[in-house]
Amino acid sequence: MSKVSECPYAMSAEVQNQSFVRKGCDHGPAPIPEEGKWIQAKEISDISAYTHGVGWCAPQQGACKLSLNVKNGIIEEALVETIGCSGMTHSAAMAAEILPGKTILEALNTDLVCDAINTAMRELFLQIVYGRSQSAFSENGLVIGAGLEDLGKGARSMVGTMYGTKEKGVRYLEMTEGYCTRMALDENDEVIGYEFVSLGKMTDFIKKGMEPGEAYEKAKGHYGRFAPEDGAVRYIDPRKE
């Protein structure tokens, strides 16, 4: 069976002389879960999702966690969190400004300056277009502002920083709750609790007019068996002792 070619592209003589074979099976792409619906994604505008991606730089000296809220292919919200590289924070400032309003395809092909942020964008893109998003089964997805909710009260990244040596043991420096000020040890010199200051809360108190010393005390908290009646025998400053 012959068929006049309607292909607008140049073809080799070998292909031009081939006989036509009709396509019989064409069921379209497999549906992916998106915001409580099953979608056959054919265009960038078919994509909606909220999710996170983690990237690293070429020498693996810094990392980025990128969170995007995509609606109908357009990035409506971006959260960029970085660790391990001072220069990356400046690249993140640019990325947070430039990403909203772009399609996810534009964003994938935008130079976000830092390798870690670019890698995070690549990893996040894969999750979104394959339907592996955080909001895949969430009806209507997550509202714009979900990124800030991820940060919690005080709008600070959740960072953990721990240090340890064979000779002197472990030091808790930063927990999700905040800056660690003291570690509680029991009679065996084992860690049983810690005290922290929520820097976000403390700063908010000061901005409202509270004296810094009072704000510092009010933003304190502790976790574990911290009090003497709970077995704490002594306390150490993890940065000094």
Side-chain angles (χ1 to χ4, degrees):
M1 178 180 178
S2 61
K3 178 178 181 290
V4 177
S5 174
E6 299 177 355
C7 178
Y9 308 112
M11 290 185 288
S12 68
E14 182 180 24
V15 172
Q16 284 180 338
N17 293 327
Q18 288 178 345
S19 60
F20 175 73
V21 178
R22 188 176 302 280
K23 181 192 292 186
C25 179
D26 186 13
H27 51 65
I32 61 174
E34 281 188 19
E35 303 193 342
K37 299 182 291 290
W38 290 94
I39 302 294
Q40 284 190 308
K42 298 180 181 180
E43 306 289 342
I44 290 296
S45 58
D46 294 330
I47 301 294
S48 294
Y50 176 88
T51 198
H52 316 282
V54 175
W56 52 94
C57 64
Q60 299 180 344
Q61 293 174 348
C64 166
K65 177 188 171 189
L66 178 62
S67 304
L68 297 182
N69 201 342
V70 179
K71 303 289 187 186
N72 301 314
I74 305 293
I75 296 172
E76 297 287 348
E77 175 185 20
L79 171 65
V80 191
E81 300 172 85
T82 66
I83 189 169
C85 173
S86 57
M88 195 194 308
T89 60
H90 297 80
S91 301
M94 182 218 61
E97 181 175 355
I98 200 171
L99 283 173
K102 285 186 175 292
T103 69
I104 55 172
L105 185 59
E106 285 181 297
L108 186 66
N109 289 284
T110 296
D111 183 5
L112 300 173
V113 181
C114 169
D115 283 349
I117 304 175
N118 282 318
T119 303
M121 182 64 228
R122 180 194 70 196
E123 298 300 309
L124 188 148
F125 180 87
L126 293 175
Q127 293 178 42
I128 289 176
V129 297
Y130 286 128
R132 270 68 170 179
S133 71
Q134 181 178 323
S135 58
F137 300 101
S138 174
E139 188 174 1
N140 297 321
L142 302 184
V143 299
I144 310 303
L148 282 180
E149 291 176 5
D150 273 353
L151 292 178
K153 206 164 186 179
R156 284 177 55 85
S157 295
M158 291 180 283
V159 178
T161 308
M162 312 299 154
Y163 177 73
T165 61
K166 178 182 175 183
E167 294 298 325
K168 300 296 183 178
V170 71
R171 297 295 185 275
Y172 297 174
L173 303 175
E174 188 94 18
M175 285 281 189
T176 295
E177 299 94 339
Y179 177 99
C180 294
T181 52
R182 289 190 295 167
M183 295 167 56
L185 308 182
D186 65 10
E187 58 185 7
N188 297 318
D189 289 332
E190 294 180 4
V191 183
I192 60 172
Y194 58 88
E195 179 185 65
F196 61 87
V197 173
S198 173
L199 297 180
K201 290 181 181 180
M202 183 180 75
T203 304
D204 286 342
F205 291 148
I206 294 173
K207 285 193 296 185
K208 292 177 180 177
M210 188 178 292
E211 288 298 316
E214 184 183 354
Y216 176 79
E217 293 299 326
K218 189 172 181 179
K220 275 185 179 179
H222 57 79
Y223 186 84
R225 294 159 49 206
F226 191 77
E229 56 267 28
D230 293 327
V233 173
R234 66 188 183 100
Y235 305 93
I236 64 170
D237 181 334
R239 291 171 174 77
K240 305 281 186 186
E241 299 174 66

